[in-house]
Amino acid sequence: MIEREQLEMDIVFVGAGPANLAAALHLKNLIKVHDDLIAKGRKKGKPLGDLEIGIIEKGSNVGAHILSGAVVDPIALRELMPDFLEQGCPVDAVVTDDAFWYLTENRALVSPITPPPLKNHGKYILSLSKMCEWLSEKCEEAGVNIFPEFPGAEMLYDENERVVGVRTGDKGTDKEGKTKDNFEPGVDLLAKVTVLGEGSRGSLAKQLTQRLGLNEGKEPQVFSLGVKELWEVPAGNFDEGRVIHTLGFPSDTKTYGGGWIYGMKNNVISIGYVTGLDYIDPLLDMHAEFQKFKTHPAIAKILAGGKMLKYGAKTINAGGWHTMPKLYADGVLLVGDCASFLNGQRIKGIHTAMKSGILAAETILSAFDNEDFTSKTLRQYEEKVNHSWIYKELYAVRNFHASFQKGRWSALVNGGLQFISGGMAWGFMPKENHVAGHERMKTLVEYEYKDEANSQRYSNLKFDKQLTFDKITDVYHAAVSHDEDQPSHLHILDTEICATRCAEEYDNPCQRFCPAAVYEMEENSKTGRREIKVNFSNCVHCKTCDIADPYQIINWVTPEGGGGPNYKGM
Ligand code: SF4
């Protein structure tokens, strides 16, 4: 039995992303106003200035797990800090030029009009990693404690299923699970309110949602995977402040996918490709889709003479409003991407994530004011979301992702009609037929593959290490590090399925959907059977395997604190 230290805090935020950082900072600001009003006799109640507020972060520092290159709608940032520019928010560029390209195999058809949801003129291009680092400094100046290298490993509950905090991960366990000389047990951080802002497919949010049934009555979540690289390109290849979104090549018409290029400062561009994790082709490889995207003549021209700097991959919650879980339970709130706040049509979630944090902060203040941390008070958070601009924005695009279930052309027609009608949808799947993305993947037989050789999808794709890169080379550019002498953080619940059913039915799609070459099928020299090998130290923490595995037998849990990619300063 491991003895664990208990640390009593008042509020613990899990994950130092934009939602939680905005929440913690806003909470500090609200407490200051609250205490000032009490001091002036204009409000009754107790001063709250000495509340202990902590943020734990699994990365080696704030921003380490967030790869640069985002176009941010500053609406929430402005609410949080009206003078964010004067206060040093690290903006790279203001969008001055945006375009929408439809890519055929060899041509880029430039749309005469940019679809309104993709108009970004006047928005800010910035490095989210740097922005989070900057926000964390603001939080620390305001008195928030930030603990990097502290992954949230388990939720803590009392006997009434009320959340009472979070247990952080142990350090110093070897790969067999035995303690090493440097063993440090995780700490039980006890809190009156715990806020989960772990990002897409948060491992604690997953545990919590299943245990408390927070998804009951909601549609299953649908995710997408964005695979991206940062490049430095020759001056003149792509202007700072320019934004391009693409549709078409290399996705087939049944697969949800699209690309982006954002011009940052110093001739750095963020380039990436998003693929829906509700794809049906079992031989699809999202990393290869991205590499293929870069070979399109119009894209390759932008990258010509350039150099790849960084690589990353991340899932996003694309399901939208109908998939949003219940946002609160006793002692806990969910904010940001782990609670499905992303606007899939605009491919934007930073502003909604930050706003969710702001509304969570208002609710937490009210909870401390009333000294009630149960659902009775915390439900105010969901009510606030429903009365905010988040609702207006997300409800209007509630059917966006679902309209892709009948393919690209139906989605384009439906997307236009939804835009005009405020989100109404026509002629696609009724609500009760919506299924989780992994359930849509077809078997090899259903997809009419006889063997991998009859997939033409990547037959022309070569990795020349100048324009296109294999997964291992890309992983090197994610600066990933995990101590190899620790238990794998990728738990396969039944490896027998990998060697038998999954091999026969899907040819082990984990080998393809993982963008970091973590999963390999390897011949066992004794049995001659092909078995799964997990190179967990390559993992870039995108969570795709936890989401896309057709048997749902991969469970992603947090590795030792500090492990993972490192995008600091990018
Ligand atoms: Fe992503 Fe899973 Fe591969 Fe890690 S192992 S990079 S989480 S798909």
Side-chain angles (χ1 to χ4, degrees):
M1 180 80 176
I2 297 170
E3 269 190 38
R4 295 179 188 279
E5 194 185 343
Q6 290 195 335
L7 267 181
E8 290 211 23
M9 309 205 73
D10 291 294
I11 306 113
V12 171
F13 292 93
V14 181
N20 268 349
L21 290 165
L25 187 57
H26 193 58
L27 181 58
K28 272 290 185 185
N29 294 341
L30 291 172
I31 289 172
K32 191 167 179 309
V33 173
H34 167 90
D35 288 3
D36 282 352
L37 289 174
I38 289 174
K40 287 176 187 153
R42 287 165 51 196
K43 186 174 179 184
K44 289 206 172 104
K46 276 201 315 197
L48 299 171
D50 52 5
L51 290 185
E52 281 289 334
I53 304 174
I55 302 179
I56 59 169
E57 162 57 39
K58 67 183 168 61
S60 54
N61 47 64
V62 174
H65 288 177
I66 304 172
L67 181 56
S68 175
V71 177
V72 175
D73 180 337
I75 177 171
L77 192 51
R78 212 168 261 141
E79 284 180 29
L80 178 70
M81 199 187 295
D83 57 347
F84 65 95
L85 290 175
E86 291 76 11
Q87 291 216 43
C89 179
V91 166
D92 265 54
V94 177
V95 179
T96 48
D97 171 24
D98 46 13
F100 181 70
W101 292 1
Y102 185 85
L103 302 182
T104 65
E105 208 156 324
N106 294 307
R107 295 185 60 202
L109 308 173
V110 180
S111 169
I113 50 157
T114 303
L118 296 179
K119 279 193 177 157
N120 287 295
H121 217 270
K123 307 283 184 302
Y124 294 96
I125 301 177
L126 49 73
S127 153
L128 188 58
S129 175
K130 285 188 199 160
M131 188 182 101
C132 286
E133 203 178 341
W134 167 76
L135 272 175
S136 74
E137 285 160 14
K138 296 288 170 200
C139 284
E140 284 184 316
E141 280 165 23
V144 175
N145 300 298
I146 300 188
F147 305 101
E149 300 201 2
F150 274 77
E154 256 181 77
M155 299 300 295
L156 300 172
Y157 303 86
D158 70 7
E159 61 286 358
N160 298 317
E161 291 290 86
R162 178 185 175 278
V163 173
V164 292
V166 62
R167 175 169 294 167
T168 64
D170 296 340
K171 269 191 176 174
T173 307
D174 73 12
K175 56 184 171 209
E176 311 297 338
K178 296 192 189 99
T179 55
K180 297 191 279 192
D181 292 346
N182 62 347
F183 179 71
E184 281 175 40
V187 177
D188 285 351
L189 294 172
L190 304 179
K192 297 186 179 73
V193 183
T194 303
V195 185
L196 298 184
E198 303 169 280
S200 172
R201 193 64 154 202
S203 47
L204 294 186
K206 180 178 158 187
Q207 286 176 23
L208 178 87
T209 304
Q210 287 172 350
R211 180 159 171 160
L212 302 185
L214 301 184
N215 274 338
E216 269 166 30
K218 309 285 177 168
E219 285 188 47
Q221 186 54 266
V222 189
F223 297 84
S224 296
L225 173 67
V227 182
K228 64 157 93 169
E229 289 169 352
L230 287 191
W231 279 64
E232 188 179 346
V233 294
N237 276 27
F238 201 85
D239 292 338
E240 177 179 316
R242 187 172 189 213
V243 168
I244 294 176
H245 287 102
T246 74
L247 193 67
F249 179 86
S251 290
D252 60 71
T253 57
K254 292 184 192 133
T255 305
Y256 173 86
W260 78 81
I261 311 172
Y262 303 151
M264 303 167 75
K265 66 182 173 198
N266 300 328
N267 298 312
V268 172
I269 63 168
S270 164
I271 177 165
Y273 201 81
V274 172
T275 305
L277 291 179
D278 48 1
Y279 62 87
I280 56 174
D281 178 351
L283 299 187
L284 193 96
D285 180 326
M286 281 81 73
H287 173 270
E289 293 285 297
F290 170 53
Q291 299 304 320
K292 219 170 141 183
F293 170 64
K294 290 186 295 171
T295 66
H296 188 280
I299 307 295
K301 194 171 156 201
I302 293 167
L303 299 173
K307 185 179 161 213
M308 193 260 281
L309 304 173
K310 281 276 174 200
Y311 168 76
K314 186 185 178 304
T315 49
I316 51 175
N317 293 48
W321 186 259
H322 289 313
T323 63
M324 190 178 280
K326 185 176 161 198
L327 299 172
Y328 64 91
D330 291 339
V332 67
L333 299 174
L334 288 104
V335 297
D337 234 14
C338 72
S340 196
F341 277 99
L342 184 111
N343 179 339
Q345 193 187 52
R346 293 178 73 196
I347 331 170
K348 281 198 181 6
I350 297 168
H351 65 304
T352 41
M354 291 181 77
K355 178 68 176 177
S356 72
I358 288 170
L359 298 174
E362 291 173 8
T363 307
I364 295 167
L365 182 84
S366 176
F368 277 90
D369 220 5
N370 298 329
E371 295 189 31
D372 176 62
F373 310 101
T374 67
S375 296
K376 195 170 151 225
T377 300
L378 296 185
R379 70 183 315 136
Q380 285 176 18
Y381 170 49
E382 198 162 286
E383 288 159 12
K384 283 174 188 287
V385 169
N386 290 338
H387 288 97
S388 71
W389 54 256
I390 293 184
Y391 170 80
K392 287 193 197 120
E393 181 173 331
L394 296 189
Y395 193 72
V397 297
R398 63 197 177 279
N399 289 311
F400 175 72
H401 193 90
S403 62
F404 277 82
Q405 293 198 348
K406 280 204 168 175
R408 186 187 299 155
W409 307 123
S410 144
L412 283 176
V413 174
N414 255 302
L417 291 171
Q418 284 173 32
F419 185 74
I420 296 163
S421 70
M424 287 173 68
W426 286 267
F428 55 83
M429 301 178 77
K431 196 176 159 193
E432 59 274 17
N433 286 348
H434 290 184
V435 293
H438 69 269
E439 291 180 45
R440 285 172 52 83
M441 190 189 291
K442 293 193 172 180
T443 62
L444 296 167
V445 171
E446 286 165 346
Y447 205 82
E448 298 182 0
Y449 279 130
K450 293 194 182 56
D451 52 50
E452 192 166 351
N454 78 343
S455 166
Q456 297 302 311
R457 211 166 186 128
Y458 308 114
S459 53
N460 295 324
L461 181 63
K462 307 272 179 295
F463 301 117
D464 63 7
K465 301 206 179 183
Q466 299 219 322
L467 175 65
T468 49
F469 303 92
D470 57 88
K471 288 182 183 176
I472 296 294
T473 308
D474 261 336
V475 167
Y476 173 77
H477 285 85
V480 180
S481 95
H482 291 96
D483 181 349
E484 300 216 6
D485 191 17
Q486 66 172 300
S488 168
H489 64 283
L490 298 154
H491 297 177
I492 301 186
L493 308 180
D494 186 348
T495 51
E496 191 56 25
I497 290 183
C498 309
T500 54
R501 278 184 65 195
C502 190
E504 283 157 29
E505 293 181 343
Y506 297 97
D507 187 35
N508 303 102
C510 56
Q511 300 176 99
R512 292 173 293 280
F513 61 55
C514 170
V518 168
Y519 300 99
E520 272 181 80
M521 292 305 286
E522 210 181 46
E523 194 170 301
N524 179 322
S525 55
K526 287 188 193 138
T527 62
R529 196 167 80 142
R530 279 165 64 77
E531 291 173 357
I532 191 108
K533 181 178 170 210
V534 181
N535 307 305
F536 74 86
S537 55
N538 285 358
C539 177
V540 294
H541 294 203
C542 73
K543 318 284 181 70
T544 303
C545 50
D546 193 293
I547 295 162
D549 166 39
Y551 303 96
Q552 294 291 284
I553 53 170
I554 302 178
N555 196 24
W556 191 101
V557 301
T558 44
E560 263 192 15
N566 193 349
Y567 303 127
K568 184 177 167 59
M570 293 304 291

